Amino acid sequence: MNVSTMIVSGVAGAPAGWIGSRLLARSVRVRPLWCVVGTATVWCLVGARFGSLPPWWLPVPVLLGWFTVLLTAADLAHRRLPDPVNLLGYPALGAAVVVAASWGGVSLGLAALLGVLVFGGAHLAVHWWRPDALGAGDVKLAGWLGGVLGVLGWPAMVLVTVVASVCSLVLRLAPAWRTTGAPHGPGLLAAAWLATLFPVLPVASPP
């Protein structure tokens, strides 16, 4: 574990979190400190994995960690996944996956595209069936997350789905969400980010 890398990553995460809080402010009110500390923490954890992950994969957990903090803060506080941040995931993570595919092989890019269609399509189907259980913001989120999970493989996609569902059920036990339903975004984001931080083959292997 490279402590200096962790420190540098955490320090870099603080201003990134503050910038994110400004983006969120266009739609919802979230305490900037949550975003600053949260992003610094997750980037510090990514820094701890430096050297264990291929360099071409590192932008994915870095970016996804940033989105995870911002969107989780918004969803927990307001049960919303604001478009100014949520939709930014498509070009941001799309670019990161393209970079990964350029080093890891074209098959990664094709897997990402298929993941978008399958994961996003599955969430869209649930939204049509039970719009009260899964909001439109969750569907938009699932689209770009599917691209990342597609690269990681189908087992990761299934595991993230199960973990996210369990997290939503646990959150629903809280008094604030027993009648309105718990937000699904936090569990989905956290599970997906952890999957990128500790990926299975082929991502974990150098090209």
Side-chain angles (χ1 to χ4, degrees):
M1 182 181 296
N2 193 326
V3 177
S4 60
T5 302
M6 292 177 61
I7 294 174
V8 170
S9 300
V11 170
W18 183 85
I19 292 172
S21 70
R22 296 298 88 204
L23 290 175
L24 284 176
R26 300 177 181 179
S27 304
V28 297
R29 289 197 55 163
V30 174
R31 292 184 179 180
L33 185 60
W34 294 356
C35 301
V36 170
V37 175
T39 306
T41 300
V42 297
W43 280 20
C44 181
L45 294 175
V46 175
R49 294 284 290 158
F50 187 82
S52 300
L53 296 173
W56 46 269
W57 181 250
L58 281 173
V60 177
V62 167
L63 285 171
L64 185 52
W66 184 73
F67 281 104
T68 296
V69 170
L70 301 182
L71 292 175
T72 293
D75 210 10
L76 288 177
H78 304 283
R79 281 211 63 191
R80 286 186 60 192
L81 296 169
D83 282 348
V85 175
N86 194 7
L87 295 181
L88 189 60
Y90 284 94
L93 270 299
V97 169
V98 167
V99 170
S102 68
W103 287 92
V106 177
S107 60
L108 294 186
L110 296 176
L113 180 59
L114 188 57
V116 171
L117 297 176
V118 173
F119 202 66
H123 282 74
L124 179 59
V126 174
H127 174 65
W128 278 343
W129 178 47
R130 289 282 306 276
D132 58 323
L134 201 65
D138 296 310
V139 176
K140 299 171 188 176
L141 172 65
W144 60 265
L145 276 183
V148 175
L149 296 176
V151 174
L152 295 175
W154 300 112
M157 189 177 294
V158 173
L159 180 60
V160 166
T161 301
V162 172
V163 172
S165 299
V166 171
C167 288
S168 296
L169 290 174
V170 171
L171 286 176
R172 192 162 186 175
L173 296 176
W177 294 312
R178 284 178 182 171
T179 57
T180 60
H184 186 62
L188 190 59
L189 285 157
W193 177 68
L194 286 173
T196 65
L197 197 60
F198 300 95
V200 295
L201 296 174
V203 174
S205 299

